[in-house]
């Protein structure tokens, strides 16, 4: 469910800041973002209230950091999978494999980005900007892969794959993960086949 602002890798995060972010990642995924209060985050990360506010200032800033960190990690994993393939067709098939694996994981609870969007309905919310950037980054990768296989309508086809991609995570969460993963793979295969048929 794979831009968000890249993390600064020039220096390590302070241990307390890292612990707060780790606690937020676990609690937000398990219980929802709005359901988790600052006091619980502080307790779970074993820091003081002063330390929490020193590093993040507010829960809203922590939410943005959580989503940004998740986006950076997800896009890095997606890029690694793409880079390991021989060509664009193989890369798109590998993304279908990744979706299947995600939907069948024991801890799958849907796309954390879609789940977060549902909790923040105002499109002007900073969290929504991170979520939008994340999905735009995935769409850009779809477009580049489709261009690499000379799809004549790469942008439009990427939009189709994004609809199938986000839909797979939603349907896999609330309905049938097997059917959702199979349907996404069929969408990928159809779009790849179109790259050949439309250029004839």
């Amino acid at each position: 469910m794979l831009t968000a602002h890249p993390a600064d890798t020039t220096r390590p995060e302070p241990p307390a800041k890292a612990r707060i972010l780790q606690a937020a990642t676990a609690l937000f995924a398990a219980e929802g973002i709005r359901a988790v209060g600052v006091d619980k985050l502080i307790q779970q990360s074993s820091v003081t209230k002063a330390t929490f506010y020193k590093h993040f200032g507010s829960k809203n800033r922590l939410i943005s950091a959580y989503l940004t960190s998740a986006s950076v990690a997800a896009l890095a994993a997606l890029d690694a999978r793409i880079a390991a393939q021989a060509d664009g067709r193989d890369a798109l098939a590998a993304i279908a494999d990744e979706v299947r694996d995600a939907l069948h994981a024991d801890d799958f609870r849907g796309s954390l980005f879609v789940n977060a969007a549902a909790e923040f309905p105002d499109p002007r919310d900073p969290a929504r900007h991170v979520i939008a950037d994340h999905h735009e980054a995935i769409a850009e990768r779809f477009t580049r892969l489709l261009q690499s296989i000379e799809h004549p309508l790469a942008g439009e086809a990427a939009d189709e794959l994004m609809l199938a991609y986000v839909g797979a995570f939603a349907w896999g969460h609330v309905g049938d993960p097997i059917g959702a993963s199979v349907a996404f793979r069929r969408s990928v295969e159809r779009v790849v086949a179109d790259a050949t048929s439309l250029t004839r």
Side-chain angles (χ1 to χ4, degrees):
M1 334 121 138
L2 112 213
T3 60
H5 312 294
D8 180 9
T9 57
T10 59
R11 58 182 180 179
E13 282 190 311
K17 185 175 183 180
R19 289 201 309 275
I20 296 167
L21 191 56
Q22 288 168 359
T25 298
L27 290 170
F28 290 164
E31 301 178 20
I33 296 173
R34 291 194 181 278
V36 178
V38 169
D39 288 343
K40 188 167 188 177
L41 288 163
I42 289 170
Q43 180 183 23
Q44 194 74 14
S45 54
S46 300
V47 298
T48 64
K49 184 169 289 189
T51 297
F52 176 89
Y53 286 106
K54 170 189 173 184
H55 287 299
F56 291 103
S58 67
K59 183 184 174 184
N60 285 339
R61 289 185 184 175
L62 173 60
I63 291 166
S64 291
Y66 153 71
L67 291 169
T68 298
S69 176
S71 177
V72 169
L75 293 175
L78 181 60
D79 287 341
R81 188 174 285 249
I82 290 171
Q85 309 309 313
D87 57 29
R89 285 177 173 80
D90 287 347
L92 288 164
I95 294 173
D97 291 340
E98 182 178 43
V99 169
R100 177 203 61 209
D101 294 345
L103 268 56
H104 289 77
D106 290 339
D107 61 349
F108 176 67
R109 295 185 178 88
S111 164
L112 70 88
F113 302 99
V114 174
N115 293 347
E119 294 197 61
F120 297 93
D122 185 349
R124 297 167 297 181
D125 192 287
R128 289 293 295 270
H129 293 305
V130 180
I131 294 165
D133 285 348
H134 176 74
H135 287 99
E136 184 61 33
I138 296 174
E140 290 171 357
R141 283 157 173 79
F142 279 140
T143 300
R144 290 200 299 269
L145 290 173
L146 291 165
Q147 288 171 337
S148 76
I149 63 173
E150 300 183 343
H151 195 295
L153 300 171
E156 291 87 341
D159 288 341
E160 290 183 33
L161 289 183
M162 280 305 298
L163 180 62
Y165 180 85
V166 175
F169 280 96
W171 179 233
H173 184 210
V174 304
D176 179 5
I178 296 174
S181 60
V182 170
F184 178 69
R185 185 177 299 278
R186 284 200 302 264
S187 296
V188 170
E189 291 171 348
R190 184 181 64 254
V191 166
V192 169
D194 286 346
T196 301
S197 63
L198 292 173
T199 54
R200 288 177 178 172

